[in-house]
Amino acid sequence: MLVRLATAYVKSPSVAEEVAQDTWAAVLDSLPSFEGRSTLKTWLARIAINRAKTRAERDGRQVPLDDEEPPSTDDRFGAFGVMRRRPVTFDSPESLLADQQIRAAIERGLEDLPAQQRSIVSLRDLEGFSSEEVC
């Protein structure tokens, strides 16, 4: 959950994993100060989002020397993750979502959203938070 939340703000999966690790370290340090005014899951998500935003701002000021991940050579998807050709079979929406390539296309589409909207979609539709928790 933490990695997916962080991915909504940072551009690299490896950086998202670092943010998740930093989040857990922060949670362990500040757990005694948890007041219970929200659910533990919401509190944890807020810490992850704040850390991811901070990391994204810091990384945005740096110029990368090279790309961490090469661009995809998968010819099934075009710009913005739009499918160029229809898959051969459709089993169920759940099995399609589980497919790695489709998940990657969804995540690429999320990267194009503004940070706040990306966060809302990630929390509500990917992580399963209720509307009240997202607010």
Side-chain angles (χ1 to χ4, degrees):
M1 173 189 86
L2 296 178
V3 173
R4 280 187 279 180
L5 278 175
T7 303
Y9 294 93
V10 297
K11 295 292 182 185
S12 166
S14 60
V15 173
E17 290 173 2
E18 288 178 23
V19 169
Q21 290 175 352
D22 292 343
T23 300
W24 277 117
V27 166
L28 291 175
D29 289 341
S30 59
L31 193 57
S33 66
F34 177 63
E35 298 175 358
R37 292 185 293 174
S38 64
T39 65
L40 184 62
K41 186 177 179 180
T42 304
W43 182 66
L44 184 66
R46 178 47 48 195
I47 293 172
I49 289 169
N50 288 340
R51 292 202 171 259
K53 282 181 178 180
T54 301
R55 181 67 184 260
E57 287 175 13
R58 187 182 77 200
D59 289 351
R61 293 188 298 260
Q62 298 174 352
V63 177
L65 297 177
D66 60 356
D67 292 332
E68 287 185 13
E69 297 177 14
S72 174
T73 58
D74 191 346
D75 65 343
R76 292 181 296 165
F77 301 100
F80 307 110
V82 176
M83 295 180 76
R84 290 185 177 156
R85 64 178 191 262
R86 186 179 174 141
V88 177
T89 61
F90 284 106
D91 295 333
S92 69
E94 292 79 16
S95 65
L96 289 176
L97 186 59
D99 183 23
Q100 294 270 341
Q101 289 87 12
I102 293 175
R103 178 70 181 196
I106 291 169
E107 289 176 359
R108 283 193 304 271
L110 284 173
E111 288 176 4
D112 294 336
L113 294 174
Q116 188 173 10
Q117 191 174 11
R118 189 171 50 231
S119 175
I120 291 168
V121 170
S122 294
L123 287 170
R124 176 78 177 137
D125 298 324
L126 297 178
E127 300 301 329
F129 281 83
S130 69
S131 295
E132 295 79 25
E133 289 174 319
V134 171
C135 288

